[in-house]
Amino acid sequence: MNRKPILYSLEPFDPAGHRVRATLTIADPTPSGQVISMPAWIPGSYLIRDFSRQVEAISARCGRQSLAIKKLDNHTWRVAPCQGAITITADIYAWDLSVRGAHLDESHGFFNGTSVFLKAHGHEDHPCELKLIPPPGRLGWSVHTSMPLSSRARLAQSSKGFSVYSVPDYDALIDHPIEMGRPQVTRFTACGAQHELVFTGVTPGLDLPRIARDVKRICEAQIRFFEPTSQQAPFLDCAQKYVFMTMVTGDSYGGLEHRASTALMASRKDLPTIGQEKTSDGYQTFLGLVSHEYFHTWNVKRIKPAAFAPYNLAKENYTELLWIFEGFTSYYDDLFLLRSGVIDQPTYLKTLGKQIASVWASPGRAKQSVAESSFDAWTRYYKQDENSPNALVSYYTKGSLVALALDLTIRHATHGQHSLDDVMRLMWNRFGRDFYQSGVRGIRENEFPALVREATGVDVRNEVQAWAYGRNDIPLAKLFAQHGMTMQWAATSKTPSVGMRVRKQSEQQVIATVFEHGPAHQAGLSANDVLIAINGLKVDSVSNTVDALLAPYQPGDRITIHVFRRDELRQFELTLAPAAQTECKLNLAATS
Ligand code: ZN
């Protein structure tokens, strides 16, 4: 069948007003009227975002004739029938500084395809060609994307990337985000494959060689993990290079995975500058994020739940398995910092201890399993509020502990002959490597225990049932003991606890979360109460913080807290609890 390519163009025509123009030309539109739509969500971020709401103007024509467009629902339109090729033009507002949207000003443009490219229904399998048009004026921008240049454009390379790109289908078109501007760029090869690190945002003295060196080690460790024999990078079937595109700001953190690239947000203070030798906690966090998103190239971009193969971008795609795709990725991200030698073993154990402590800090873990948390991601995990720590469990953090617990279980049962690594490689071999070729399916909802059995010989049906589908705590201390490790809890300070989290709001201290069953809950304090005084002394955000004011007291002491609620002064009496044991210490026993 001859599938005529859909021709797209993208032009950042109004950087000052944050407007971008996207067109698509369909040579063989649906005779009864071409239906087009914008995705309602972006894969990897499980929330309906209705990107169509940023479409300010949309029009269609057939040659010189303009065509009527009728809107069918929030994100779908139908173009009036006509004979011959049609072109649809959309002007889109791009001012969302996040890894999930589109952002344009005079300094740069960042575009996720889900925010700018309309889908031609019935033509999803047609190849797409994209022409990138530079912004007006001589801004000296270059383009950075994993999207492959068309074969003709590859021959004529002098356009700084403002050229024509070519992908096999719409799904690929929206999975290669595009950065343009004047970023700091460095490149390296890992196992022979090209990688590019792109940093947008003012970051003086950025130590690019160091970052490239560290990221290369992480990439090589992961490639060799999944492909011990061929050592082949996973993305070479759809891209010439992998691109890490990082937006650097004063205070941000986040990432979103794609098939041959990732979009990241990082804080300036977390990135290393030239001359700085120590690995700061912030830099370790950045490398952990890099490791996480790169691991997704295998786990979720290719090894997928059946519910995501293919994605339905018009509505929620439900799966109970995000604890495998986000949780296992969260387990391996830090583990690959250790395996690649970027951090040492004591640092790794400290990081793992923090992960365990963060799960135990949320009372919500007794109300929701990670399977339920996965299923409800769309309305709960991605719509968190002040009560979320009491109501939710994270399929990231608890999911990573499920991975850890399964890894320890498999290693113990097989006397170190097998591990979770074997399960990952089996899933890669069967479902991942050839995913973008036709005929490979995703992992079914109830299939995972059988895969563990096949890869390792260990029956983990009961464990998976209890840890992923149940709400009790995972018996980590017992599992660690089988490996000669100890897990101990300690309090980080002696200050007694009131059972609440506080946030700063201008100069005021405001209650962010009241933990269920704690003293604050029992007394009736609530989220958003503005703290005024503790036992008659003023609370502020400088020296009289809640912790500082509580430090002189002992567990069991009665105290009075004054707050404003809806501008009304309220008084609460409560009994202080012992300092919470929030620090989890892991140790390798002296003898094992
Ligand atoms: Zn992730």
Side-chain angles (χ1 to χ4, degrees), residues 350-365 381 389 392-394 396-401 489 501 515 581-584:
K350 213 170 129 191
T351 307
L352 188 57
K354 279 188 193 162
Q355 186 94 312
I356 295 168
S358 80
V359 174
W360 258 257
S362 283
R365 72 190 193 281
Y381 191 79
L392 305 188
V393 69
S394 161
Y396 284 86
T397 50
K398 191 180 173 187
S400 80
L401 301 189
W489 288 94
R501 202 175 280 158
F515 290 107
Q581 306 236 315
T582 53
E583 191 181 0
C584 176

Side-chain angles (χ1 to χ4, degrees), residues 492-498 500 502 509 531 534 539-540 543-553:
T492 43
S493 86
K494 289 196 172 120
T495 304
S497 168
V498 286
M500 65 188 189
V502 173
Q509 295 285 94
L531 290 158
I534 292 177
V539 179
D540 66 35
S543 51
N544 291 340
T545 61
V546 173
D547 266 6
L549 291 172
L550 289 175
Y553 295 99

Side-chain angles (χ1 to χ4, degrees), residues 44 255 257 292-293 296 300 325-326 329-330 396:
E257 65 277 6
H292 181 96
E293 303 306 340
H296 271 318
V300 93
F325 296 94
E326 289 300 346
T329 301
S330 297
Y396 284 86

Side-chain angles (χ1 to χ4, degrees), residues 320-321 323-324 368-372 398 402 405-406 445-450 452 459-475:
E320 288 186 332
L321 297 183
W323 56 275
I324 295 180
Q368 208 188 29
S369 69
V370 285
E372 291 167 326
K398 191 180 173 187
V402 175
L406 288 171
E445 293 289 302
N446 56 3
E447 184 170 17
F448 180 71
V452 177
D459 182 352
V460 293
R461 275 176 299 181
N462 292 339
E463 286 81 359
V464 167
Q465 190 58 37
W467 301 338
Y469 296 86
R471 301 174 190 133
N472 291 334
D473 287 335
I474 299 171

Side-chain angles (χ1 to χ4, degrees), residues 144-413:
H144 303 272
T145 179
S146 56
M147 197 182 295
L149 283 164
S150 72
S151 44
R152 254 173 303 141
R154 231 173 287 159
L155 294 172
Q157 282 192 358
S158 59
S159 52
K160 290 194 157 185
F162 288 99
S163 190
V164 178
Y165 294 79
S166 173
V167 286
D169 52 33
Y170 179 79
D171 194 41
L173 180 71
I174 58 168
D175 203 18
H176 293 281
I178 299 155
E179 174 70 38
M180 51 179 75
R182 285 172 295 170
Q184 300 188 59
V185 180
T186 186
R187 298 179 177 86
F188 63 87
T189 60
C191 298
Q194 293 288 329
H195 292 68
E196 193 169 280
L197 283 158
V198 180
F199 291 90
T200 300
V202 179
T203 40
L206 185 64
D207 194 344
L208 286 173
R210 178 181 181 183
I211 300 173
R213 203 164 56 234
D214 290 337
V215 174
K216 175 186 166 91
R217 287 162 83 176
I218 295 164
C219 295
E220 288 186 336
Q222 293 191 11
I223 294 168
R224 288 174 182 144
F225 169 79
F226 279 105
E227 293 285 4
T229 309
S230 73
Q231 301 200 0
Q232 173 144 316
F235 51 83
L236 296 173
D237 59 353
C238 65
Q240 270 95 42
K241 63 182 175 187
Y242 186 96
V243 183
F244 296 91
M245 39 190 89
T246 306
M247 166 53 83
V248 186
T249 72
D251 185 20
S252 59
Y253 171 82
L256 193 60
E257 65 277 6
H258 299 280
R259 66 184 65 184
S261 62
T262 177
L264 309 168
M265 299 274 291
S267 298
R268 201 169 288 114
K269 62 179 172 6
D270 287 349
L271 297 173
T273 49
I274 289 162
Q276 176 189 325
E277 278 171 25
K278 200 177 156 285
T279 297
S280 67
D281 288 354
Y283 184 43
Q284 187 193 323
T285 302
F286 173 73
L287 291 175
L289 178 64
V290 163
S291 179
H292 181 96
E293 303 306 340
Y294 197 70
F295 196 83
H296 271 318
T297 318
W298 292 269
N299 194 36
V300 93
K301 293 313 303 186
R302 286 170 177 78
I303 308 167
K304 281 171 192 268
F308 293 172
Y311 297 115
N312 181 342
L313 295 174
K315 62 183 191 63
E316 295 88 346
N317 291 189
Y318 297 106
T319 173
E320 288 186 332
L321 297 183
L322 293 180
W323 56 275
I324 295 180
F325 296 94
E326 289 300 346
F328 285 25
T329 301
S330 297
Y331 174 58
Y332 278 104
D333 60 20
D334 288 331
L335 198 52
F336 271 102
L337 299 188
L338 175 69
R339 289 183 179 179
S340 63
V342 169
I343 61 172
D344 60 17
Q345 194 179 67
T347 308
Y348 176 69
L349 291 180
K350 213 170 129 191
T351 307
L352 188 57
K354 279 188 193 162
Q355 186 94 312
I356 295 168
S358 80
V359 174
W360 258 257
S362 283
R365 72 190 193 281
K367 293 184 190 161
Q368 208 188 29
S369 69
V370 285
E372 291 167 326
S373 177
S374 299
F375 192 88
D376 285 342
W378 304 85
T379 52
R380 304 195 72 189
Y381 191 79
Y382 272 90
K383 290 187 177 178
Q384 296 199 26
D385 60 24
E386 72 287 344
N387 191 48
S388 294
N390 292 320
L392 305 188
V393 69
S394 161
Y395 51 76
Y396 284 86
T397 50
K398 191 180 173 187
S400 80
L401 301 189
V402 175
L404 165 69
L406 288 171
D407 202 5
L408 293 171
T409 301
I410 296 164
R411 287 172 190 269
H412 180 66

